[in-house]
Amino acid sequence: MDEELLELQRQFEFAQQVKSSVRLSDRNVVELVQKLQELRVIDFDLLHTVTGKEYITQEQLKNEIATEISKLGRVSVIDLADTIGVDLYHVEKQAQDVVLSDPGLMLVQGEIISQTYWDSIAEEINERLQECSQISVAELAGQLQVGSELVQSVLEPRLGTLVKARLEGGQLYTPAYVARVTAMVRGASRGIFVPSNLSALWAPLQQLVQEMNGSSGVAVENAFFQSIFNRLLKEEEMLGSLRAGTHWTPSVFAVAQKECVDSFFSQNSYIPYETMQKLGISQAVQFLQSRYPDGKPLSAVFIHSSMIEMLDSTTEDAIEQNSWIDSLSVLPASFTSQDANKILLLCPSVQSALKVAEKALILAESFVISSGFIKGIYDQIEKEAEAFSIQASTASLIDHPSKSSESQESIPANTDKGSKKKKGKSASMKTATVETVPDDEEEARPKSKRNQKKGRDSSSSQKLDAKAGGKKESVKAQEGNNFIPPDGWVMKKIVDSVPEFEDEGMDNPDSILKHLADLMRPMLINSLKERRKKIFTENADRMKRLKDDLQKKLDESFLNMQLYEKALELFEDDQSTSAVLHRHLLRTTAATIADTLLHDLDILNKLKNGIEVGDSKAQDSVLLESSERMDLAKNLNGSLSRKALALVEALEGKSYSVGILMGVTPLILDSLSQRVDAFMTTFRDLAEESGLALKKLDKKLERTLLHAYRKDLISQVSTESDPVALLAKVVSLLYIKAHNKALQAPGRAIAAAISHLKDKLDESAYKTLTDYQKATVTLLALMSASTGEEHDCSADRILSKRELLESQMPVLRSLVLGDSQPQQS
């Protein structure tokens, strides 16, 4: 059989060596292969080589790839394509199949690497480690031109077998090197006696290792030191506790800590957290609660229950005695106000007082104040607050009338100066008509230096008071101008009642004074509001009655004023006499009705603003100084104040226009004859603004008033005993008879008035009047000139002249009463 096989081999070899006599071209071969494939004789895929002159099967391609890998261990796919001579696409495809079919191969970044290759690399790395003790994985990856992660993943399963080393933090260390570093870490850690951060320990160790390895050594990562330290701690070669991985507390320090804490806490029954921090205990509350379960944590300290018992007995005494206590005064200095508040809430006596009818309150966190103590202070302050509210409301009308209606801030003045009310003679027609005082005496009252000085002093005083009040805290107006004492005022009153609180300071927002003021001020506001509400209710009825009374007064007075105004038309051609008559009418009848209106409007304004005004007895007239009129006018609100000021200025001879009402300086009237007209205009404006209706003098009313006026004058002339006063009344009666006018003439205008009657009287009557008037002037001159040593002589002359006038009185009366003609003396 063997011989037959050998024979066949020889024949096959011979046949191969014999040259064929018929040769096929490359094209014929290609066509032949294609024909065979069509006939399914070749039923597998054939691949062309890159030269195009050879065919290769896929199975053969795989075999050649596997052969190259087993021969080299690491081969690039691109190099395989060049070596085998097949297109890269087919090589890559078959290479993936080869790698998938063999678990010992891996395809990495276009390279096929076998496990035998990595085994050889591991042996080389092990040999290098024996020389240098440590190698960086990154360095190996760079040399092998692969990623560090791949190198690390390949080396990890070979550590301890092919590679006698330890992989830590991207570094390979030999066991001897690790033992040496472990000894360094152990020694350094055992030398620590206080809490430390291990990161600070690794820095000098790293420098030491660097010096030990020389310039060729690789820097050791902190993670390597940390892993060694963790292993030593686990093996209990070091005693202590590790927090957050890096905070190391040796056991010796922890023992000393606990001894210090126990000593302080047992001696003082409390320990501040600040002390715990100094001892190196950051989680103080957790540490103390675990060590002292019966203790209580506060904001800044940790206390024993005995501290609560001590404070409880003190606060209980204060509450029972209706007093107060500052818990910080009995607690150690390290306690804060928050600590005091928390410990107070733990006291049984305080808990009971807070629950049962609010027997006590905790204020400013540390103060315990009994309700009885607070009530005692409040009752005293409430009385003073009522007086303050009245004073503030009155002062606001005086100092800030334009702002009172807008509920702006007001400053109470220190002085409460009201209008001076004087009872004068009746301002009715009788008194206004029969005034016979000389004009010099008439002007004495408003122009006296005493009164002028008094007005300046009161004005200066109000300015000084306003400046002084401006430095204090402002007072806010509540509903309906209900002035409430400010916090500063309330705090001052509290200090007056409890001087111990003064040390707390009024400017400190957390002081007990501020808290007490905040507690009492709403109570004061409610009390004052109720009181003001009651006052407003009572004032409403008074306002109605007062306004009705004022309307009645003005109905009569203003009609008389219009009646007297008509008599001034008789003297329009005599400017000097007209000026005297205008001035006289303004200073008598006009002043009376203006003062009455201003006075009653001021009372109405006060009642409207909730100010208590005492009941005043009914007065026939109110006489005011010029400064008092100005003050009353300024006290009114808004347009009412402006029109009242216009009335006062018109009364004193100044012209008011629209510009004046807007604040322009008033101008003195060029024509004094227009003064009464200006007064009447401004009086009507003010009355209309006040809601008062003034009657206009018509013919019927004029006749009625003149008749009453004449009847009254006749009665006065019949009964008048003063020879000087009789003359003015007789002249007034003569003007009613002659001109049907009610003349109001002062003493200095009597002569001019008589001269205007010359055409209306016969010669004898006119002569009687002129002689009597001259005798009256002589008598008044003697009376004013009688002084000093000549007093006795002047008295005789005055008596003689007076007796002469008295003898002529019947003659003078006969001119108006229709008696027999006077007999010449």
Side-chain angles (χ1 to χ4, degrees):
M1 188 67 180
D2 293 335
E3 292 179 358
E4 291 179 359
L5 288 175
L6 291 174
E7 182 63 26
L8 288 173
Q9 288 179 355
R10 283 194 299 270
Q11 293 177 3
F12 183 71
E13 183 178 0
F14 177 78
Q16 287 181 336
Q17 292 178 356
V18 173
K19 293 183 178 180
S20 176
S21 58
V22 179
R23 296 182 62 84
L24 297 176
S25 64
D26 293 341
R27 181 179 181 85
N28 296 138
V29 173
V30 171
E31 291 177 353
L32 180 59
V33 171
Q34 289 177 350
K35 190 64 175 177
L36 291 174
Q37 287 178 334
E38 291 177 0
L39 296 174
R40 297 290 181 177
V41 176
I42 300 176
D43 56 355
F44 48 84
D45 293 333
L46 294 176
L47 303 176
H48 289 283
T49 60
V50 293
T51 60
K53 294 183 178 183
E54 294 177 315
Y55 287 103
I56 185 171
T57 64
Q58 294 184 8
E59 190 66 27
Q60 181 61 29
L61 180 58
K62 287 183 182 179
N63 293 335
E64 290 186 10
I65 290 174
T67 302
E68 288 294 326
I69 292 173
S70 62
K71 182 172 60 177
L72 299 176
R74 177 181 179 181
V75 61
S76 171
V77 175
I78 297 175
D79 293 340
L80 283 174
D82 294 339
T83 302
I84 299 173
V86 180
D87 187 78
L88 179 61
Y89 171 77
H90 299 293
V91 173
E92 286 180 344
K93 184 177 180 182
Q94 297 304 320
Q96 290 176 358
D97 292 342
V98 172
V99 172
L100 292 174
S101 62
D102 189 352
L105 299 178
M106 61 178 66
L107 181 61
V108 180
Q109 296 178 354
E111 290 185 319
I112 301 174
I113 305 175
S114 65
Q115 293 298 328
T116 57
Y117 174 81
W118 288 121
D119 292 342
S120 63
I121 293 298
E123 292 174 357
E124 292 178 6
I125 292 173
N126 189 57
E127 291 175 1
R128 289 183 58 184
L129 276 173
Q130 304 308 318
E131 297 175 0
C132 60
S133 299
Q134 59 175 341
I135 299 176
S136 171
V137 173
E139 181 183 352
L140 292 174
Q143 293 174 357
L144 297 174
Q145 297 181 354
V146 293
S148 298
E149 295 81 1
L150 177 61
V151 175
Q152 187 167 338
S153 65
V154 170
L155 288 177
E156 285 177 350
R158 292 172 173 79
L159 292 175
T161 55
L162 296 177
V163 181
K164 307 294 183 181
R166 177 176 175 177
L167 180 61
E168 192 73 46
Q171 294 284 123
L172 285 171
Y173 306 100
T174 61
Y177 185 85
V178 172
R180 186 163 62 250
V181 175
T182 301
M184 295 172 63
V185 172
R186 184 189 299 110
S189 301
R190 288 179 176 178
I192 297 174
F193 296 97
V194 295
S196 303
N197 192 319
L198 293 179
S199 300
L201 178 63
W202 305 148
L205 280 181
Q206 191 177 58
Q207 184 178 1
L208 183 61
V209 172
Q210 188 76 18
E211 293 174 356
M212 182 179 65
N213 293 335
S215 58
S216 61
V218 179
V220 180
E221 297 291 335
N222 289 348
F224 180 52
F225 293 123
Q226 188 68 46
S227 65
I228 294 175
F229 181 88
N230 293 341
R231 179 172 56 83
L232 292 174
L233 183 62
K234 186 178 182 179
E235 295 172 356
E236 296 185 355
E237 293 193 32
M238 295 176 297
L239 299 178
S241 60
L242 184 65
R243 292 184 299 103
T246 57
H247 297 284
W248 167 246
T249 303
S251 59
V252 63
F253 179 81
V255 172
Q257 267 185 337
K258 293 177 181 178
E259 291 177 353
C260 291
V261 171
D262 291 343
S263 175
F264 190 99
F265 193 73
S266 61
Q267 293 177 11
N268 301 284
S269 298
Y270 77 94
I271 185 168
Y273 299 146
E274 183 180 1
T275 302
M276 300 292 289
Q277 291 179 352
K278 290 179 181 178
L279 292 174
I281 303 175
S282 57
Q283 302 293 333
V285 176
Q286 292 84 340
F287 177 88
L288 292 170
Q289 283 182 327
S290 63
R291 195 160 184 81
Y292 311 108
D294 296 336
K296 300 292 183 183
L298 303 181
S299 298
V301 295
F302 190 88
I303 63 170
H304 190 265
S305 57
S306 60
M307 292 287 292
I308 301 175
E309 296 172 0
M310 180 271 295
L311 184 61
D312 182 65
S313 62
T314 307
T315 54
E316 186 176 10
D317 292 341
I319 294 171
E320 292 299 328
Q321 295 174 10
N322 283 333
S323 184
W324 63 276
I325 184 174
D326 181 8
S327 58
L328 287 177
S329 63
V330 297
L331 292 173
S334 56
F335 280 67
T336 64
S337 57
Q338 292 84 357
D339 295 324
N341 183 259
K342 288 185 177 181
I343 193 173
L344 283 173
L345 293 175
L346 296 173
C347 295
S349 62
V350 176
Q351 293 175 353
S352 176
L354 293 176
K355 292 179 181 178
V356 181
E358 295 187 352
K359 193 175 180 181
L361 294 175
I362 297 177
L363 296 178
E365 294 188 328
S366 63
F367 284 81
V368 178
I369 304 179
S370 67
S371 300
F373 182 80
I374 294 175
K375 185 178 184 303
I377 299 177
Y378 174 77
D379 291 343
Q380 182 178 351
I381 294 178
E382 185 181 26
K383 296 177 182 178
E384 299 184 21
E386 292 179 0
F388 177 91
S389 178
I390 295 173
Q391 181 182 6
S393 300
T394 305
S396 69
L397 293 177
I398 296 174
D399 298 335
H400 304 286
S402 62
K403 295 183 180 180
S404 62
S405 62
E406 300 173 6
S407 297
Q408 296 181 354
E409 290 186 356
S410 303
I411 302 175
N414 292 333
T415 59
D416 187 9
K417 184 180 291 185
S419 301
K420 294 181 180 178
K421 304 171 186 176
K422 297 181 180 179
K423 275 192 177 183
K425 294 182 180 180
S426 174
S428 64
M429 239 181 349
K430 299 178 182 179
T431 304
T433 306
V434 300
E435 180 177 347
T436 57
V437 181
D439 193 57
D440 294 339
E441 294 182 19
E442 173 196 339
E443 296 180 358
R445 181 173 64 86
K447 292 188 177 181
S448 65
K449 293 183 179 180
R450 176 178 60 82
N451 290 329
Q452 290 178 0
K453 181 178 180 181
K454 183 177 180 181
R456 288 195 300 269
D457 290 345
S458 63
S459 176
S460 301
S461 175
Q462 289 177 358
K463 291 180 180 179
L464 291 174
D465 289 342
K467 290 182 179 179
K471 296 179 181 178
K472 299 180 181 178
E473 292 185 23
S474 62
V475 181
K476 294 184 178 180
Q478 301 296 331
E479 297 177 1
N481 294 330
N482 187 10
F483 293 98
I484 305 301
D487 286 346
W489 184 91
V490 178
M491 287 190 284
K492 184 178 182 303
K493 296 303 177 183
I494 295 174
V495 170
D496 293 342
S497 300
V498 191
E500 294 90 337
F501 288 165
E502 186 173 8
D503 296 336
E504 291 290 318
M506 293 188 182
D507 297 331
N508 182 7
D510 297 326
S511 67
I512 183 61
L513 285 175
K514 184 64 171 64
H515 285 274
L516 276 175
D518 291 342
L519 174 67
M520 294 183 181
R521 197 161 180 270
M523 299 163 62
L524 290 174
I525 291 175
N526 291 334
S527 173
L528 291 176
K529 279 185 177 180
E530 290 298 325
R531 176 179 168 277
R532 301 276 293 181
K533 184 178 179 181
K534 180 180 178 182
I535 292 175
F536 275 121
T537 303
E538 295 174 353
N539 286 357
D541 296 334
R542 287 193 59 189
M543 289 173 63
K544 187 177 184 303
R545 292 195 304 269
L546 180 61
K547 199 165 186 179
D548 292 341
D549 293 342
L550 178 59
Q551 182 70 64
K552 292 177 182 178
K553 294 178 187 177
L554 295 184
D555 285 344
E556 179 181 358
S557 300
F558 193 68
L559 286 174
N560 290 336
M561 184 66 189
Q562 295 177 77
L563 184 66
Y564 303 149
E565 182 187 16
K566 286 183 172 292
L568 300 179
E569 300 171 357
L570 300 174
F571 296 89
E572 290 180 354
D573 297 335
D574 188 353
Q575 289 295 323
S576 60
T577 304
S578 178
V580 173
L581 293 174
H582 273 262
R583 185 163 55 248
H584 173 72
L585 186 58
L586 288 174
R587 292 183 179 178
T588 54
T589 306
T592 300
I593 62 173
D595 291 348
T596 300
L597 178 59
L598 291 173
H599 173 264
D600 288 359
L601 286 179
D602 179 64
I603 295 178
L604 286 170
N605 188 37
K606 290 179 179 178
L607 293 175
K608 180 181 178 182
N609 287 278
I611 301 175
E612 288 185 305
V613 181
D615 292 331
S616 58
K617 296 182 180 179
Q619 301 180 20
D620 292 334
S621 64
V622 178
L623 299 180
L624 302 175
E625 300 287 348
S626 176
S627 60
E628 290 174 333
R629 294 190 189 106
M630 294 298 291
D631 290 340
L632 292 180
K634 291 177 181 178
N635 289 349
L636 301 176
N637 298 327
S639 60
L640 200 63
S641 176
R642 292 193 295 271
K643 293 187 178 182
L645 288 171
L647 172 65
V648 175
E649 293 295 340
L651 183 64
E652 297 178 358
K654 297 180 180 178
S655 175
Y656 266 76
S657 61
V658 177
I660 296 305
L661 297 179
M662 297 300 293
V664 181
T665 305
L667 304 173
I668 302 298
L669 282 169
D670 294 333
S671 175
L672 291 176
S673 62
Q674 298 177 2
R675 287 176 54 182
V676 173
D677 294 339
F679 171 81
M680 298 295 282
T681 301
T682 55
F683 190 88
R684 288 190 183 93
D685 291 342
L686 179 58
E688 181 181 356
E689 186 72 20
S690 305
L692 299 171
L694 297 177
K695 292 183 180 180
K696 187 176 181 182
L697 185 66
D698 54 19
K699 295 295 184 181
K700 183 178 179 180
L701 282 175
E702 183 177 3
R703 288 194 299 270
T704 302
L705 290 176
L706 279 174
H707 177 73
Y709 184 37
R710 179 176 177 278
K711 185 177 179 180
D712 186 56
L713 280 177
I714 291 174
S715 175
Q716 292 183 45
V717 168
S718 301
T719 59
E720 183 60 62
S721 59
D722 185 0
V724 177
L726 179 63
L727 178 61
K729 297 173 182 178
V730 169
V731 171
S732 297
L733 267 174
L734 290 174
Y735 264 82
I736 292 177
K737 290 182 177 181
H739 299 286
N740 208 28
K741 303 288 185 183
L743 177 65
Q744 293 283 305
R748 61 187 300 180
I750 290 296
I754 292 174
S755 64
H756 278 69
L757 291 172
K758 185 175 183 179
D759 297 338
K760 302 294 183 179
L761 300 175
D762 55 29
E763 292 183 3
S764 61
Y766 180 74
K767 185 176 184 304
T768 300
L769 275 177
T770 55
D771 292 344
Y772 193 94
Q773 188 269 336
K774 291 176 181 178
T776 301
V777 172
T778 303
L779 174 60
L780 292 175
L782 290 173
M783 292 173 65
S784 62
S786 60
T787 57
E789 298 177 354
E790 300 179 357
H791 179 71
D792 294 338
C793 180
S794 298
D796 294 338
R797 296 178 62 188
I798 292 171
L799 182 59
S800 175
K801 183 59 71 175
R802 187 177 184 87
E803 291 176 350
L804 178 61
L805 283 175
E806 290 175 350
S807 65
Q808 293 294 321
M809 289 175 64
V811 179
L812 193 62
R813 287 192 182 98
S814 65
L815 296 180
V816 292
L817 298 180
D819 295 340
S820 57
Q821 292 298 323
Q823 296 181 0
Q824 300 297 328
S825 59

